[in-house]
Amino acid sequence: MTIGVLALQGDFDAHRRRLEELGAEVVLVKKPEQLDAIDGLVIPGGESGTFLKLLGQEGFEKLKQFVRLKPTFGTCAGAILLASEVENPKQAGLGAIDIRIRRNAYGRQIDSSIREGRLLQSSLHDRPGSALEMVFIRAPRIERVGSGVEVIATEGKENAPVAVRQGKVMAATFHPELSEDTRVHRAFLALMERYRS
Ligand code: GLN
């Protein structure tokens, strides 16, 4: 199984290192045609508006087809790209996960922080819920979760969803590649295993 990490912009290298550490074969994806040769994709953090610009219409359409067919994991800006509805400002999403997500949703003072959230017991993680370090960097907030969406991690007093999955697509508003804990990437590898074709 080969996993691609979208390497147009942003912190793709930390994902590459993490996935390799977990034994995966990783390629950095810089051209749309490379999508044909991979079994799953990670879309890293960065600036989602810039991703859209760099992808262009053709890259966006190609990626849209890809996420319907193969497991994909987006973190932060990657989660924004995967969403069905994007606010602040409104922007196109791939519609791969039925969520409404608000960009840069935390006030200035706490716009970047390390917090302790919970990794829940889910179809991708068969242990009881437990604490998980979460690095947020100018993070978006998931404001609505559709009925077909499974919440896999939460944060804060209100147990706000911060990692979700729908079908073969997973998204997190934080940066698991920047923490030592490997469980979130392992959950994605479990998802890839499940949809192995
Ligand atoms: N603020 C960025 C955006 O709106 C996301 C930040 C990140 O990926 N760390 O696209």
Side-chain angles (χ1 to χ4, degrees):
M1 279 202 305
T2 305
I3 308 183
V5 178
L6 192 66
L8 296 176
Q9 188 243 354
D11 72 335
F12 51 84
D13 215 50
H15 280 290
R16 178 184 64 76
R17 283 197 301 273
R18 170 59 47 84
L19 291 165
E20 284 178 350
E21 210 180 284
L22 294 172
E25 198 182 310
V26 182
V27 293
L28 296 180
V29 173
K30 293 180 195 267
K31 299 238 160 65
E33 55 271 23
Q34 287 177 279
L35 293 172
D36 297 331
I38 55 176
D39 305 300
L41 179 70
V42 172
I43 307 178
E47 204 58 49
S48 54
T50 308
F51 273 122
L52 288 176
K53 262 190 222 135
L54 294 173
L55 281 167
Q57 192 61 29
E58 199 193 319
F60 185 78
E61 290 307 324
K62 179 104 187 159
L63 196 54
K64 203 166 181 174
Q65 283 170 12
F66 180 90
V67 299
R68 295 211 172 359
L69 300 172
K70 303 271 173 76
T72 304
F73 175 32
T75 57
C76 205
I80 296 169
L81 278 188
L82 289 169
S84 53
E85 225 185 315
V86 181
E87 302 280 351
N88 190 36
K90 279 198 188 302
Q91 129 185 326
L94 294 163
I97 299 197
D98 184 18
I99 52 173
R100 181 172 73 233
I101 197 162
R102 173 169 295 272
R103 297 178 62 192
N104 304 308
Y106 298 89
R108 265 215 188 147
Q109 258 129 40
I110 55 156
D111 72 347
S112 298
S113 57
I114 300 178
R115 286 174 252 164
E116 187 182 291
R118 281 190 85 66
L119 183 63
L120 307 181
Q121 185 160 23
S122 70
S123 65
L124 300 178
H125 179 73
D126 59 6
R127 308 269 166 80
S130 54
L132 177 69
E133 178 186 280
M134 297 175 178
V135 179
F136 292 90
I137 303 171
R138 289 174 296 108
R141 193 198 299 269
I142 296 172
E143 294 186 324
R144 180 186 65 78
V145 173
S147 57
V149 177
E150 180 183 28
V151 176
I152 57 181
T154 58
E155 191 275 328
K157 280 195 210 87
E158 267 142 48
N159 298 321
V162 289
V164 292
R165 175 194 75 92
Q166 184 168 25
K168 47 181 83 97
V169 179
M170 188 174 140
T173 60
F174 56 97
H175 288 263
E177 76 284 5
L178 299 181
S179 292
E180 258 161 40
D181 198 314
T182 59
R183 289 179 293 168
V184 178
H185 284 82
R186 280 193 269 142
F188 180 57
L189 294 180
L191 186 63
M192 282 195 59
E193 202 52 57
R194 189 185 313 165
Y195 284 100
R196 196 173 188 154
S197 47

